[in-house]
């Protein structure tokens, strides 16, 4: 990764910062604390969704192409963007991070973990780089009928930011049916809890990647989360994933 990898055009950065700032982050933080996920409604316009989804066939934007069935991940495919990221994806990654880092730091404190995340994303990426994690992780996923994504966690190295964001680029009921976003939470000595998150085109969901704290009768305890996508019944579904740590 070079010095220009995370630099975004001023217009894109300002646009992303302004659109992200308009949300009620106190409410979104409460949702993340209470349920491990929060919907950021209408983060992208339909036109922006179409533009990002339209990048999928253009190999020049990507560093790798993954077919899930080959790895036992499910069925479907996705591509990891390469640096420099598309302007809007990169700018949103930078703009969303500070709002989520405060939640992440509070989670670590409640779980008795010493790690704290810097306020700015560039500083966190520098930590990733120093740890040998230099490959970009934002991705674009494509599903067709019969495809699904098994429950998993996106951990790509020793450093992993505990919250990530997925943006639905397709219109449910029109472009595709099925394909619900699913989050499961494994609780100590209890049955797992499932959360199905309804999304519209342009909506984003911020969710816990791995662990989060839950308040119990004897203080905070740690739960383990996984996420996935249910089977696509018809059509084609595109999603953009914004992961804040880079990969080895």
């Amino acid at each position: 990764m070079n010095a220009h990898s995370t630099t975004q055009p001023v217009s894109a950065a300002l646009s992303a910062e302004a659109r992200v700032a308009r949300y009620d982050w106190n409410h979104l933080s409460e949702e993340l604390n209470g349920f491990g996920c929060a919907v950021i409604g209408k983060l992208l316009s339909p036109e922006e969704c179409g533009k990002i989804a339209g990048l999928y066939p253009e190999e020049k934007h990507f560093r790798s192409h993954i077919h899930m069935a080959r790895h036992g991940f499910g069925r479907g495919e996705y591509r990891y963007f390469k640096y420099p990221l598309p302007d809007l994806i990169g700018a949103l990654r930078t703009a969303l991070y500070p709002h989520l880092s405060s939640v992440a730091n509070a989670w670590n404190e409640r779980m008795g973990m010493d790690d704290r995340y810097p306020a700015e994303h560039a500083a966190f990426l520098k930590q990733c780089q120093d740890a040998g994690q230099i490959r970009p992780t934002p991705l674009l996923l494509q599903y067709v009928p019969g495809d699904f994504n098994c429950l998993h966690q996106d951990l790509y190295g020793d450093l992993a930011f505990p919250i990530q964001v997925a943006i639905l680029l397709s219109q449910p009921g029109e472009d595709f049916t099925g394909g619900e976003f699913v989050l499961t939470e494994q609780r100590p000595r209890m049955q797992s809890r499932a959360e199905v998150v309804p999304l519209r085109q342009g909506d984003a969901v911020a969710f816990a990647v791995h662990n989060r704290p839950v308040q119990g009768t004897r203080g905070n305890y740690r739960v383990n989360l996984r996420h996935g996508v249910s089977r696509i019944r018809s059509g084609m579904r595109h999603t953009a994933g914004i992961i804040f740590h880079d990969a080895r």
Side-chain angles (χ1 to χ4, degrees):
M1 184 172 69
N2 58 45
H4 302 288
S5 298
T6 58
T7 301
Q8 301 298 325
V10 173
S11 59
L14 291 176
S15 171
E17 188 175 338
R19 79 170 73 194
V20 167
R22 73 175 187 244
Y23 292 95
D24 182 348
W25 283 97
N26 288 328
H27 172 71
L28 292 173
S29 297
E30 290 174 1
E31 290 283 297
L32 279 163
N33 286 325
F35 306 103
C37 62
V39 175
I40 307 169
K42 298 183 179 179
L43 183 62
L44 296 183
S45 69
E47 293 75 21
E48 289 169 329
C49 289
K51 183 176 180 180
I52 294 172
L55 299 177
Y56 196 84
E58 300 178 17
E59 294 189 11
K60 64 182 180 180
H61 299 291
F62 304 98
R63 66 173 176 84
S64 65
H65 186 180
I66 307 297
H67 293 272
M68 296 186 202
R70 295 178 185 172
H71 305 277
F73 297 163
R75 278 184 54 183
E77 57 184 79
Y78 55 89
R79 289 183 158 184
Y80 287 107
F81 287 107
K82 66 181 181 181
Y83 282 127
L85 300 174
D87 292 348
L88 186 53
I89 294 293
L92 285 173
R93 195 186 192 204
T94 299
L96 287 163
Y97 172 88
H99 298 280
L100 299 174
S101 66
S102 60
V103 177
N105 284 331
W107 282 3
N108 279 7
E109 182 175 356
R110 289 173 58 191
M111 291 187 292
M113 300 170 64
D114 294 333
D115 293 339
R116 297 294 182 268
Y117 302 96
E120 300 299 326
H121 191 234
F124 179 62
L125 286 182
K126 178 61 166 59
Q127 293 180 357
C128 290
Q129 186 174 13
D130 292 344
Q133 297 177 210
I134 61 173
R135 296 188 298 159
T137 48
L139 68 163
L140 192 54
L141 304 100
Q142 178 175 280
Y143 303 91
V144 297
D147 289 352
F148 62 95
N149 197 345
C150 294
L151 295 170
H152 66 284
Q153 299 168 329
D154 292 311
L155 305 173
Y156 298 103
D158 294 333
L159 277 180
F161 190 72
I163 302 169
Q164 69 189 62
V165 173
I167 310 169
L168 182 61
L169 304 177
S170 305
Q171 180 63 37
E174 295 184 15
D175 297 327
F176 71 97
T177 60
E180 295 85 2
F181 179 86
V182 181
L183 191 71
T184 65
E185 193 171 81
Q186 184 180 1
R187 303 173 294 171
R189 298 175 298 280
M190 290 185 282
Q191 293 181 326
S192 296
R193 183 182 73 88
E195 183 94 4
V196 178
V197 183
L199 297 171
R200 301 163 299 179
Q201 184 181 38
D203 287 353
V205 56
F207 58 96
V209 175
H210 184 205
N211 296 126
R212 76 176 185 94
V214 173
Q215 180 66 45
T217 56
R218 299 182 180 179
N220 289 289
Y221 62 94
R222 191 180 304 186
V223 297
N224 188 50
L225 296 103
R226 297 179 183 275
H227 64 278
V229 173
S230 69
R231 177 167 56 93
I232 306 296
R233 308 290 177 136
S234 65
M236 181 178 288
R237 180 189 192 274
H238 285 101
T239 309
I242 298 180
I243 297 167
F244 296 94
H245 47 275
D246 278 349
R248 283 193 175 279

